[in-house]
Amino acid sequence: MATNRQKLNYMVQYREQLDWGFAALADQTRRGILEHLGAGDASISELAEMFRMTLTGMKKHIQVLESAQLVTTHKAGRVRYCSLGPRRLDAETAWIENYRQMLEMRLDRLGDFLEQTKGQMS
Amino acid sequence: MATNRQKLNYMVQYREQLDWGFAALADQTRRGILEHLGAGDASISELAEMFRMTLTGMKKHIQVLESAQLVTTHKAGRVRYCSLGPRRLDAETAWIENYRQMLEMRLDRLGDFLEQTKGQMS
């Protein structure tokens, strides 16, 4: 059975994963890089050229994506290649899905309230 | 029919919405505020107390959430109340869903490739 400390560690990890994940997605160039890597690996200099950016600028974006485990890199000779990382954005999907369910429940409650008010007024 | 300029405007708006939306979600306090407002409206000072934060700190978080249209505020007397905004995170859901579908297609392609390789080796 998980101890309280293990549960706490898990919660902290989950929160940090969401922080890093959403932050990584909050930039159109980084979303573009992920979409592009979906079609196949690319070197950092290829990506820099494609997104009309300096090598230094692209390296920073790749670091953010690596921190969120959305991208992994490997070196072949003098060239560093980027691939999509192992994460499927499960935590992000789950959080947004819960939020949307909560919004729907609120709308249902509002609907019930309006229905009751109508009943009392007629 | 939409002109090219209209289409471009729509794309820019969509990108900016994703930038603001994901950035707003990239902080555990802001996610906590959204979860809390799901149960009902709250004043900024109530939220500051609940999240053990200064009023100034909480105001900044609320501004970020307002910019992303995830929270709206209204004043009643001297108190400013926060409610959940109109956005259902549709754009964010769609982006993540597309990304996950792309990952699955990649896995399928990899599976096909391995199957073919196995066929050639046997």
Side-chain angles (χ1 to χ4, degrees):
Chain A
M1 225 178 84
T3 63
N4 281 344
R5 180 176 287 275
Q6 281 170 331
K7 282 183 203 162
L8 188 67
N9 279 346
Y10 176 77
M11 263 181 64
V12 170
Q13 272 173 24
Y14 174 76
R15 283 175 180 172
E16 286 181 355
Q17 198 176 49
L18 285 179
D19 282 2
W20 286 98
F22 283 132
L25 298 180
D27 181 280
Q28 65 158 300
T29 301
R30 288 198 292 270
R31 291 192 301 274
I33 295 167
L34 292 176
E35 287 162 2
H36 185 76
L37 292 179
D41 296 359
S43 71
I44 293 188
S45 49
E46 280 166 358
L47 290 170
E49 200 177 336
M50 189 169 307
F51 289 91
R52 294 176 190 178
M53 193 170 277
T54 61
L55 215 54
T56 315
M58 183 48 72
K59 276 180 187 164
K60 279 185 195 157
H61 281 309
I62 296 298
Q63 274 167 10
V64 175
L65 290 167
E66 271 190 296
S67 302
Q69 293 182 287
L70 291 168
V71 160
T72 57
T73 67
H74 62 278
K75 223 169 175 175
R78 299 171 80 180
V79 182
R80 182 164 290 280
Y81 287 96
C82 306
S83 321
L84 286 187
R87 285 198 57 211
R88 294 182 60 247
L89 298 175
D90 290 333
E92 291 77 2
T93 307
W95 193 90
I96 290 183
E97 191 47 46
N98 280 340
Y99 184 72
R100 285 161 69 97
Q101 277 175 14
M102 186 194 68
L103 288 182
E104 267 172 40
M105 274 162 54
R106 278 181 86 225
L107 275 182
D108 286 348
R109 282 205 305 274
L110 186 65
D112 290 348
F113 172 74
L114 291 177
E115 205 57 42
Q116 281 170 17
T117 316
K118 215 170 83 180
Q120 284 166 6
M121 285 177 78
S122 61
Chain B
M1 225 176 85
T3 62
N4 281 343
R5 180 176 288 276
Q6 281 171 331
K7 282 183 203 161
L8 188 66
N9 279 344
Y10 177 77
M11 264 182 63
V12 170
Q13 273 174 24
Y14 175 76
R15 284 174 179 172
E16 285 181 356
Q17 197 175 51
L18 285 177
D19 283 2
W20 286 98
F22 283 132
L25 298 179
D27 180 280
Q28 65 158 299
T29 301
R30 288 198 291 270
R31 292 193 300 273
I33 294 167
L34 291 176
E35 287 161 3
H36 184 77
L37 292 179
D41 296 359
S43 71
I44 293 188
S45 49
E46 280 166 358
L47 290 170
E49 200 177 337
M50 189 169 304
F51 289 91
R52 294 177 189 176
M53 192 169 278
T54 61
L55 215 54
T56 315
M58 183 49 73
K59 276 179 187 165
K60 280 184 195 159
H61 280 311
I62 295 297
Q63 273 167 10
V64 175
L65 290 166
E66 271 191 296
S67 302
Q69 294 182 288
L70 291 168
V71 161
T72 57
T73 68
H74 61 277
K75 222 167 176 178
R78 299 172 79 177
V79 182
R80 182 164 288 279
Y81 288 96
C82 305
S83 321
L84 286 186
R87 286 198 57 209
R88 294 181 62 246
L89 298 175
D90 290 333
E92 291 78 0
T93 307
W95 194 90
I96 291 183
E97 190 46 47
N98 280 339
Y99 184 72
R100 287 160 67 98
Q101 278 176 14
M102 187 195 66
L103 288 181
E104 268 171 40
M105 274 161 55
R106 279 181 85 226
L107 275 182
D108 286 348
R109 282 204 305 272
L110 186 66
D112 289 349
F113 172 75
L114 290 176
E115 205 56 43
Q116 282 170 16
T117 316
K118 215 170 85 183
Q120 283 166 6
M121 285 177 78
S122 62

